[in-house]
Amino acid sequence: MQTNNRRQLVAGNWKMNGDKTLVKQMQQSLAEASLDNMDVVICPPFPYLELFANTVKLGSQNISQFDSGAHTGEVSVAMLKEFNCHYVIVGHSERRADNNESDAVVALKVEQGLKANLTPILCVGEPEDVRENGTLFDYIAAQLDAVLQQVGIQQFAKMVLAYEPIWAIGTGKTASPTQAQEVHAFIRGYLAKQDTNIAANIVILYGGSVKGSNAQELFSQADVDGGLIGGASLNPEDFLSICQAANQ
Ligand code: PEP
């Protein structure tokens, strides 16, 4: 078996939630924790990025695929760099659905993030009907192919992936550890066809209704390297218990 240097990572995606009070509570809770064996990233809404400055690793929930200019409402990678952002979530299913972000746009955003030395957290995952009709792996492969064609396999060494089955996001319906492991192993195997070393070392997060009570079993799967956490990242106590599951 190929050796690897993967470290568990837990990223909290606040979506359009939270306030200044939650920023303070989360900072306090993480400052008191001892989480030496894993990495934590918080992806708050843009206005709260600066409030977190120098206290946690930061990610944004989106970036523009453009450098600058007449793109009202968009935020560029250069701006995020000024606010000490290290990660960016790209291709979250909510953005794919709410903002019509196609695989092609997602690929451009990944490229833009990489160009600025941000680490893209590229989300892939299937709707329920795709899982039911047996085309799950083709669906995930197509999402990966769009990015592979745009940036090439070597750039995956600078990325994180997140498998987020759409039917499990915010629904309370978690993929079982076996279901998660099956897809994570598929993703790693798919990348290994192009580069075994990059495939062995890329961090693949699971996202979809992760809680303190199910995190440990999910994260102990061979190809699951932590989680992308939505709802539970809004409660410092819950989020910390998920981080502690990854720290073991
Ligand atoms: C997410 O939005 O990325 C997510 C996984 O949400 P939740 O944990 O609430 O299912």
Coordinates of all heavy atoms in Angstrom, one line a residue, residues 156-243:
F156 N -3.8 19.0 -8.2 CA -4.6 18.4 -7.2 C -3.7 18.2 -5.9 O -4.2 18.0 -4.8 CB -5.2 17.1 -7.6 CG -6.5 17.3 -8.4 CD1 -6.6 18.0 -9.5 CD2 -7.7 16.8 -7.8 CE1 -7.8 18.2 -10.2 CE2 -8.9 17.0 -8.5 CZ -8.9 17.7 -9.7
A157 N -2.4 18.3 -6.1 CA -1.5 18.2 -4.9 C -1.7 19.4 -4.0 O -1.3 19.4 -2.8 CB 0.0 18.2 -5.4
K158 N -2.3 20.5 -4.5 CA -2.5 21.7 -3.8 C -4.0 21.9 -3.4 O -4.4 23.1 -3.1 CB -2.0 22.9 -4.6 CG -0.6 22.9 -5.0 CD -0.3 24.1 -5.9 CE 1.0 23.8 -6.7 NZ 1.0 24.7 -7.9
M159 N -4.7 20.9 -3.5 CA -6.2 21.0 -3.3 C -6.7 20.0 -2.2 O -6.0 19.1 -1.8 CB -6.9 20.7 -4.6 CG -6.8 21.7 -5.6 SD -7.3 21.1 -7.3 CE -9.0 20.6 -7.0
V160 N -7.9 20.3 -1.7 CA -8.6 19.4 -0.8 C -9.9 19.1 -1.5 O -10.4 19.9 -2.2 CB -8.9 20.1 0.6 CG1 -9.9 19.4 1.4 CG2 -7.6 20.4 1.3
L161 N -10.4 17.9 -1.4 CA -11.7 17.5 -1.9 C -12.7 17.3 -0.8 O -12.3 16.9 0.3 CB -11.5 16.2 -2.8 CG -10.6 16.3 -4.0 CD1 -10.6 14.9 -4.7 CD2 -11.1 17.3 -5.0
A162 N -13.9 17.5 -1.1 CA -15.0 17.2 -0.2 C -16.1 16.4 -0.9 O -16.6 16.9 -1.9 CB -15.6 18.4 0.5
Y163 N -16.3 15.2 -0.4 CA -17.5 14.4 -0.9 C -18.7 14.8 -0.1 O -18.7 14.5 1.1 CB -17.2 12.9 -0.9 CG -18.5 12.1 -1.1 CD1 -19.2 12.3 -2.3 CD2 -19.0 11.2 -0.2 CE1 -20.4 11.7 -2.6 CE2 -20.2 10.5 -0.4 CZ -20.9 10.7 -1.6 OH -22.0 10.1 -1.8
E164 N -19.7 15.4 -0.7 CA -20.9 15.9 0.0 C -22.1 15.4 -0.8 O -22.6 16.1 -1.7 CB -20.9 17.4 0.0 CG -19.8 18.0 0.8 CD -20.2 19.3 1.5 OE1 -20.7 20.2 0.8 OE2 -20.0 19.4 2.7
P165 N -22.6 14.2 -0.4 CA -23.9 13.8 -1.1 C -25.0 14.8 -0.8 O -25.2 15.2 0.4 CB -24.2 12.4 -0.4 CG -23.3 12.4 0.8 CD -22.2 13.3 0.6
I166 N -25.6 15.3 -1.9 CA -26.6 16.4 -1.7 C -27.7 16.0 -0.8 O -28.2 16.8 0.0 CB -27.1 16.9 -3.1 CG1 -25.9 17.4 -3.9 CG2 -28.2 18.0 -2.9 CD1 -26.2 17.7 -5.4
W167 N -28.1 14.8 -0.8 CA -29.2 14.3 0.0 C -28.9 14.3 1.5 O -29.8 14.1 2.3 CB -29.7 12.9 -0.5 CG -28.6 11.9 -0.7 CD1 -27.9 11.7 -1.8 CD2 -28.0 11.0 0.3 NE1 -26.9 10.8 -1.6 CE2 -26.9 10.3 -0.3 CE3 -28.3 10.8 1.7 CZ2 -26.2 9.4 0.4 CZ3 -27.5 9.8 2.3 CH2 -26.5 9.2 1.7
A168 N -27.6 14.4 1.8 CA -27.2 14.4 3.2 C -26.9 15.8 3.8 O -26.7 15.9 5.0 CB -26.0 13.5 3.4
I169 N -27.0 16.8 2.9 CA -26.6 18.2 3.4 C -27.8 18.8 4.1 O -28.8 19.1 3.4 CB -26.1 19.0 2.2 CG1 -24.8 18.4 1.7 CG2 -25.8 20.5 2.7 CD1 -24.2 19.2 0.5
G170 N -27.6 19.1 5.3 CA -28.6 19.9 6.1 C -29.9 19.1 6.3 O -30.9 19.6 6.7
T171 N -29.9 17.8 6.0 CA -31.1 17.0 6.1 C -31.2 16.1 7.4 O -32.2 15.6 7.7 CB -31.2 16.0 4.9 OG1 -30.0 15.2 4.9 CG2 -31.3 16.8 3.6
G172 N -30.0 16.0 8.0 CA -29.9 15.1 9.2 C -29.7 13.6 8.7 O -29.6 12.7 9.5
K173 N -29.7 13.4 7.4 CA -29.6 12.0 6.8 C -28.1 11.9 6.5 O -27.7 12.3 5.4 CB -30.4 12.0 5.5 CG -31.4 11.0 5.4 CD -32.0 11.3 4.0 CE -32.9 10.3 3.5 NZ -33.3 10.6 2.1
T174 N -27.3 11.3 7.3 CA -25.9 11.1 7.0 C -25.6 9.9 6.2 O -26.3 8.9 6.3 CB -25.1 10.9 8.4 OG1 -25.6 11.8 9.3 CG2 -23.6 11.2 8.2
A175 N -24.6 10.0 5.3 CA -24.2 8.8 4.6 C -23.6 7.8 5.7 O -23.0 8.3 6.6 CB -23.1 9.1 3.6
S176 N -23.8 6.5 5.5 CA -23.2 5.6 6.5 C -21.7 5.7 6.3 O -21.3 6.0 5.2 CB -23.8 4.2 6.3 OG -23.3 3.7 5.1
P177 N -21.0 5.3 7.3 CA -19.5 5.2 7.1 C -19.1 4.4 5.9 O -18.2 4.7 5.2 CB -19.0 4.6 8.4 CG -20.1 5.0 9.4 CD -21.4 5.0 8.7
T178 N -19.9 3.3 5.7 CA -19.5 2.4 4.5 C -19.8 3.1 3.2 O -19.1 3.0 2.3 CB -20.4 1.1 4.6 OG1 -20.2 0.6 5.9 CG2 -20.0 0.1 3.6
Q179 N -21.0 3.9 3.2 CA -21.3 4.6 1.9 C -20.2 5.7 1.7 O -19.8 5.9 0.5 CB -22.7 5.3 2.1 CG -23.8 4.3 1.9 CD -25.2 5.0 2.2 OE1 -25.3 5.8 3.1 NE2 -26.2 4.7 1.4
A180 N -19.9 6.4 2.7 CA -18.9 7.5 2.6 C -17.5 6.8 2.1 O -16.9 7.3 1.1 CB -18.7 8.2 3.9
Q181 N -17.1 5.8 2.8 CA -15.8 5.2 2.4 C -15.8 4.7 0.9 O -14.8 4.8 0.2 CB -15.5 4.0 3.4 CG -14.4 3.1 3.0 CD -13.0 3.8 2.8 OE1 -12.8 4.9 3.3 NE2 -12.2 3.2 2.0
E182 N -16.9 4.1 0.5 CA -17.0 3.6 -0.9 C -16.7 4.7 -1.9 O -16.0 4.5 -2.8 CB -18.4 3.0 -1.1 CG -18.6 2.3 -2.4 CD -20.0 1.9 -2.7 OE1 -21.0 2.5 -2.1 OE2 -20.2 0.9 -3.4
V183 N -17.3 5.9 -1.7 CA -17.2 7.0 -2.6 C -15.8 7.6 -2.5 O -15.1 7.9 -3.5 CB -18.3 8.0 -2.5 CG1 -18.1 9.1 -3.5 CG2 -19.6 7.4 -2.7
H184 N -15.3 7.8 -1.3 CA -14.0 8.3 -1.1 C -12.9 7.4 -1.7 O -12.0 7.9 -2.4 CB -13.6 8.4 0.4 CG -14.3 9.6 1.1 ND1 -13.6 10.5 1.9 CD2 -15.6 10.0 1.0 CE1 -14.5 11.5 2.3 NE2 -15.7 11.2 1.8
A185 N -13.1 6.1 -1.6 CA -12.1 5.2 -2.2 C -12.2 5.3 -3.7 O -11.2 5.2 -4.4 CB -12.4 3.7 -1.8
F186 N -13.5 5.5 -4.2 CA -13.6 5.6 -5.7 C -12.9 6.9 -6.2 O -12.1 6.8 -7.1 CB -15.1 5.8 -6.1 CG -15.3 6.2 -7.5 CD1 -15.1 5.4 -8.6 CD2 -15.6 7.6 -7.8 CE1 -15.2 5.8 -9.9 CE2 -15.7 8.0 -9.1 CZ -15.5 7.2 -10.1
I187 N -13.0 8.0 -5.4 CA -12.4 9.3 -5.8 C -10.9 9.1 -5.8 O -10.2 9.4 -6.8 CB -12.8 10.4 -4.9 CG1 -14.3 10.7 -5.1 CG2 -11.9 11.6 -5.1 CD1 -14.9 11.7 -4.0
R188 N -10.3 8.5 -4.8 CA -8.9 8.3 -4.7 C -8.4 7.4 -5.8 O -7.4 7.7 -6.5 CB -8.5 7.7 -3.3 CG -7.1 8.2 -2.8 CD -6.8 7.6 -1.5 NE -7.5 8.2 -0.4 CZ -7.4 9.5 0.1 NH1 -6.6 10.3 -0.5 NH2 -8.1 9.9 1.1
G189 N -9.2 6.3 -6.1 CA -8.8 5.4 -7.1 C -8.8 6.1 -8.5 O -8.0 5.8 -9.4
Y190 N -9.8 7.0 -8.7 CA -10.0 7.7 -10.0 C -8.8 8.6 -10.2 O -8.2 8.6 -11.3 CB -11.3 8.5 -9.9 CG -11.7 9.0 -11.3 CD1 -12.3 8.1 -12.2 CD2 -11.6 10.3 -11.6 CE1 -12.7 8.5 -13.5 CE2 -12.0 10.8 -12.9 CZ -12.5 9.9 -13.8 OH -12.9 10.3 -15.0
L191 N -8.3 9.3 -9.2 CA -7.2 10.2 -9.3 C -5.9 9.3 -9.5 O -5.0 9.7 -10.2 CB -7.1 11.1 -8.1 CG -8.2 12.1 -7.9 CD1 -8.0 12.9 -6.6 CD2 -8.5 13.0 -9.1
A192 N -5.9 8.2 -8.8 CA -4.7 7.3 -8.9 C -4.4 6.8 -10.3 O -3.2 6.5 -10.7 CB -4.8 6.1 -8.0
K193 N -5.4 6.8 -11.2 CA -5.2 6.4 -12.6 C -4.3 7.4 -13.2 O -3.6 7.1 -14.2 CB -6.5 6.4 -13.3 CG -7.4 5.2 -12.9 CD -8.6 5.1 -13.8 CE -9.7 4.4 -13.2 NZ -11.0 4.7 -13.7
Q194 N -4.3 8.7 -12.7 CA -3.4 9.7 -13.3 C -2.1 9.9 -12.5 O -1.1 10.2 -13.1 CB -4.1 11.0 -13.5 CG -5.3 10.9 -14.4 CD -5.8 12.2 -14.9 OE1 -5.0 13.2 -15.0 NE2 -7.1 12.3 -15.2
D195 N -2.2 9.8 -11.2 CA -1.0 10.0 -10.4 C -1.2 9.3 -9.0 O -2.0 9.8 -8.2 CB -0.7 11.5 -10.2 CG 0.7 11.7 -9.6 OD1 0.9 11.2 -8.5 OD2 1.5 12.4 -10.2
T196 N -0.5 8.2 -8.7 CA -0.8 7.5 -7.5 C -0.3 8.2 -6.3 O -1.0 8.2 -5.2 CB 0.0 6.1 -7.5 OG1 1.3 6.4 -7.9 CG2 -0.6 5.1 -8.5
N197 N 0.7 9.0 -6.4 CA 1.2 9.8 -5.2 C 0.3 10.9 -4.8 O -0.1 11.1 -3.7 CB 2.6 10.3 -5.6 CG 3.3 10.9 -4.3 OD1 3.2 10.4 -3.3 ND2 3.9 12.1 -4.5
I198 N -0.2 11.6 -5.8 CA -1.2 12.7 -5.5 C -2.4 12.1 -5.0 O -3.0 12.6 -4.0 CB -1.4 13.5 -6.8 CG1 -0.2 14.4 -7.0 CG2 -2.7 14.4 -6.7 CD1 -0.2 15.2 -8.3
A199 N -2.9 11.0 -5.5 CA -4.1 10.3 -5.0 C -3.9 9.9 -3.6 O -4.9 10.0 -2.8 CB -4.5 9.2 -5.9
A200 N -2.8 9.4 -3.3 CA -2.6 8.8 -1.9 C -2.5 10.0 -0.9 O -2.9 9.8 0.3 CB -1.3 8.0 -1.8
N201 N -2.1 11.2 -1.3 CA -1.9 12.2 -0.4 C -3.0 13.3 -0.3 O -3.0 14.1 0.6 CB -0.5 12.9 -0.6 CG 0.6 12.1 -0.1 OD1 0.8 11.9 1.1 ND2 1.4 11.5 -1.0
I202 N -3.9 13.3 -1.2 CA -4.9 14.3 -1.2 C -5.9 14.1 0.0 O -6.3 12.9 0.2 CB -5.7 14.4 -2.6 CG1 -6.5 15.7 -2.6 CG2 -6.5 13.2 -2.9 CD1 -6.9 16.2 -4.0
V203 N -6.2 15.1 0.7 CA -7.2 15.1 1.8 C -8.6 15.1 1.2 O -8.9 16.0 0.4 CB -7.0 16.2 2.7 CG1 -8.1 16.4 3.7 CG2 -5.6 16.0 3.5
I204 N -9.4 14.1 1.6 CA -10.8 14.0 1.1 C -11.7 14.1 2.3 O -11.7 13.2 3.1 CB -11.1 12.7 0.3 CG1 -10.0 12.5 -0.8 CG2 -12.5 12.8 -0.3 CD1 -10.2 11.3 -1.7
L205 N -12.5 15.2 2.4 CA -13.4 15.4 3.5 C -14.7 14.8 3.2 O -15.1 14.7 2.0 CB -13.6 16.9 3.8 CG -12.3 17.7 3.9 CD1 -12.6 19.2 4.2 CD2 -11.4 17.2 5.1
Y206 N -15.4 14.4 4.2 CA -16.9 14.0 4.0 C -17.7 15.1 4.6 O -17.4 15.7 5.7 CB -17.2 12.7 4.8 CG -18.7 12.5 4.8 CD1 -19.4 12.1 3.7 CD2 -19.4 12.9 6.0 CE1 -20.8 12.0 3.7 CE2 -20.8 12.8 5.9 CZ -21.5 12.4 4.8 OH -22.8 12.3 4.8
G207 N -18.8 15.5 3.9 CA -19.7 16.5 4.4 C -21.2 16.0 4.2 O -21.5 15.5 3.1
G208 N -22.0 16.3 5.2 CA -23.4 15.9 5.1 C -23.9 15.4 6.4 O -23.7 14.3 6.8
S209 N -24.4 16.4 7.2 CA -25.0 16.1 8.5 C -24.0 15.4 9.5 O -24.4 14.5 10.2 CB -26.3 15.3 8.4 OG -27.2 16.0 7.6
V210 N -22.8 15.8 9.5 CA -21.8 15.3 10.4 C -22.1 16.0 11.8 O -22.4 17.2 11.9 CB -20.3 15.6 10.0 CG1 -19.4 15.1 11.1 CG2 -20.0 15.0 8.7
K211 N -22.1 15.1 12.9 CA -22.3 15.6 14.2 C -21.3 15.0 15.1 O -20.6 14.1 14.7 CB -23.7 15.2 14.7 CG -24.9 15.3 13.8 CD -26.1 14.9 14.4 CE -26.8 13.7 13.9 NZ -27.1 13.4 12.5
G212 N -21.3 15.5 16.4 CA -20.3 14.9 17.3 C -20.6 13.4 17.5 O -19.6 12.6 17.7
S213 N -21.8 13.0 17.3 CA -22.1 11.6 17.6 C -21.8 10.6 16.4 O -21.6 9.4 16.6 CB -23.6 11.4 17.9 OG -24.4 12.0 16.8
N214 N -21.6 11.2 15.2 CA -21.2 10.2 14.1 C -19.8 10.5 13.5 O -19.3 9.8 12.7 CB -22.3 10.3 13.0 CG -22.5 11.7 12.4 OD1 -21.6 12.5 12.4 ND2 -23.6 11.9 11.8
A215 N -19.2 11.6 14.0 CA -17.9 12.0 13.4 C -16.8 11.0 13.5 O -16.2 10.6 12.5 CB -17.4 13.3 14.0
Q216 N -16.7 10.4 14.7 CA -15.6 9.5 14.9 C -15.6 8.3 13.9 O -14.6 7.9 13.4 CB -15.6 9.0 16.3 CG -14.3 8.4 16.7 CD -14.2 8.1 18.2 OE1 -15.0 8.6 19.0 NE2 -13.1 7.4 18.6
E217 N -16.8 7.7 13.8 CA -16.9 6.5 12.9 C -16.7 6.9 11.5 O -16.0 6.1 10.7 CB -18.3 5.9 13.1 CG -18.3 4.4 12.9 CD -19.7 3.7 12.9 OE1 -20.6 4.4 13.4 OE2 -19.8 2.7 12.3
L218 N -17.2 8.1 11.1 CA -16.9 8.5 9.7 C -15.5 8.7 9.4 O -14.9 8.3 8.5 CB -17.7 9.8 9.4 CG -19.2 9.6 9.1 CD1 -20.0 10.9 9.3 CD2 -19.5 9.0 7.7
F219 N -14.8 9.5 10.4 CA -13.4 9.9 10.2 C -12.5 8.7 10.3 O -11.3 8.8 9.9 CB -13.0 11.0 11.2 CG -13.8 12.3 11.1 CD1 -13.7 13.3 12.1 CD2 -14.7 12.5 10.0 CE1 -14.4 14.5 12.0 CE2 -15.4 13.7 9.9 CZ -15.3 14.7 10.9
S220 N -12.9 7.6 10.9 CA -12.0 6.5 11.1 C -12.0 5.6 9.8 O -11.2 4.6 9.7 CB -12.4 5.7 12.3 OG -13.6 5.1 12.1
Q221 N -12.8 5.9 8.8 CA -12.7 5.2 7.6 C -11.4 5.5 6.9 O -10.9 6.6 6.9 CB -13.9 5.5 6.6 CG -15.3 5.3 7.3 CD -15.5 3.9 7.6 OE1 -15.3 3.0 6.8 NE2 -15.8 3.6 8.9
A222 N -10.9 4.5 6.1 CA -9.5 4.5 5.6 C -9.3 5.8 4.7 O -8.2 6.3 4.7 CB -9.2 3.3 4.8
D223 N -10.3 6.1 3.9 CA -10.1 7.2 2.9 C -10.9 8.5 3.3 O -11.0 9.4 2.5 CB -10.6 6.7 1.5 CG -9.6 5.7 1.0 OD1 -8.5 6.1 0.8 OD2 -10.0 4.5 0.9
V224 N -11.4 8.6 4.5 CA -12.1 9.8 5.0 C -11.1 10.6 5.9 O -10.6 10.0 6.9 CB -13.4 9.4 5.8 CG1 -14.0 10.7 6.3 CG2 -14.3 8.7 4.9
D225 N -10.8 11.8 5.5 CA -9.7 12.5 6.2 C -10.2 13.7 7.0 O -9.5 14.7 7.1 CB -8.7 13.0 5.1 CG -8.2 11.9 4.3 OD1 -7.8 10.9 4.9 OD2 -8.1 12.0 3.1
G226 N -11.5 13.6 7.4 CA -12.1 14.7 8.2 C -13.4 15.1 7.6 O -14.0 14.4 6.8
G227 N -13.9 16.4 7.9 CA -15.2 16.7 7.4 C -15.3 18.2 7.1 O -14.6 19.1 7.5
L228 N -16.3 18.4 6.2 CA -16.8 19.8 5.9 C -18.1 19.9 6.6 O -19.1 19.1 6.3 CB -16.9 20.0 4.4 CG -17.4 21.3 3.9 CD1 -16.6 22.5 4.5 CD2 -17.4 21.4 2.4
I229 N -18.2 20.8 7.5 CA -19.3 20.8 8.5 C -20.2 22.0 8.3 O -19.7 23.2 8.4 CB -18.8 20.8 10.0 CG1 -17.6 19.8 10.1 CG2 -19.9 20.5 11.0 CD1 -17.9 18.3 9.8
G230 N -21.5 21.9 8.1 CA -22.4 23.0 8.0 C -23.0 23.3 9.3 O -22.5 24.0 10.2
G231 N -24.2 22.8 9.5 CA -25.0 23.1 10.7 C -24.3 23.0 12.0 O -24.3 24.0 12.8
A232 N -23.6 22.0 12.2 CA -22.9 21.7 13.5 C -21.7 22.7 13.7 O -21.2 22.8 14.8 CB -22.4 20.3 13.6
S233 N -21.3 23.4 12.6 CA -20.2 24.4 12.8 C -20.7 25.7 13.4 O -19.9 26.6 13.7 CB -19.5 24.6 11.5 OG -20.2 25.4 10.7
L234 N -22.0 25.8 13.6 CA -22.6 27.0 14.2 C -22.7 26.9 15.7 O -23.1 27.9 16.4 CB -23.9 27.3 13.6 CG -23.9 27.5 12.1 CD1 -25.3 27.6 11.5 CD2 -23.2 28.8 11.8
N235 N -22.4 25.8 16.3 CA -22.4 25.6 17.7 C -21.0 25.2 18.2 O -20.6 24.1 17.9 CB -23.4 24.4 18.0 CG -23.5 24.2 19.5 OD1 -22.5 24.1 20.2 ND2 -24.7 24.0 20.0
P236 N -20.4 26.1 18.9 CA -19.0 25.8 19.3 C -18.8 24.5 20.0 O -17.8 23.8 19.7 CB -18.6 27.0 20.2 CG -19.5 28.1 19.8 CD -20.8 27.4 19.4
E237 N -19.7 24.1 20.8 CA -19.5 22.8 21.5 C -19.6 21.6 20.6 O -18.8 20.7 20.6 CB -20.7 22.7 22.6 CG -20.3 21.9 23.8 CD -21.5 21.9 24.7 OE1 -22.0 23.0 25.1 OE2 -22.0 20.8 25.0
D238 N -20.6 21.7 19.7 CA -20.7 20.6 18.7 C -19.5 20.5 17.8 O -19.0 19.5 17.5 CB -22.0 20.8 17.8 CG -23.3 20.6 18.6 OD1 -23.2 20.0 19.8 OD2 -24.3 21.0 18.1
F239 N -19.1 21.7 17.3 CA -18.0 21.8 16.4 C -16.7 21.3 17.0 O -16.0 20.5 16.4 CB -17.8 23.2 15.9 CG -16.8 23.4 14.8 CD1 -17.0 22.8 13.6 CD2 -15.6 24.1 14.9 CE1 -16.1 22.9 12.5 CE2 -14.7 24.2 13.9 CZ -15.0 23.6 12.7
L240 N -16.5 21.6 18.3 CA -15.3 21.2 19.0 C -15.4 19.6 19.1 O -14.3 19.0 19.0 CB -15.3 21.8 20.4 CG -13.9 21.8 21.0 CD1 -12.9 22.6 20.1 CD2 -13.9 22.5 22.4
S241 N -16.5 19.1 19.4 CA -16.5 17.6 19.6 C -16.2 16.9 18.2 O -15.6 15.9 18.2 CB -17.8 17.1 20.2 OG -18.9 17.3 19.3
I242 N -16.6 17.6 17.1 CA -16.2 17.0 15.8 C -14.7 17.1 15.6 O -14.1 16.2 15.1 CB -17.0 17.7 14.7 CG1 -18.5 17.4 14.8 CG2 -16.5 17.3 13.3 CD1 -19.4 18.2 14.0
C243 N -14.2 18.3 16.0 CA -12.7 18.5 15.8 C -12.0 17.4 16.7 O -11.0 16.9 16.3 CB -12.3 19.9 16.2 SG -12.9 21.1 15.1

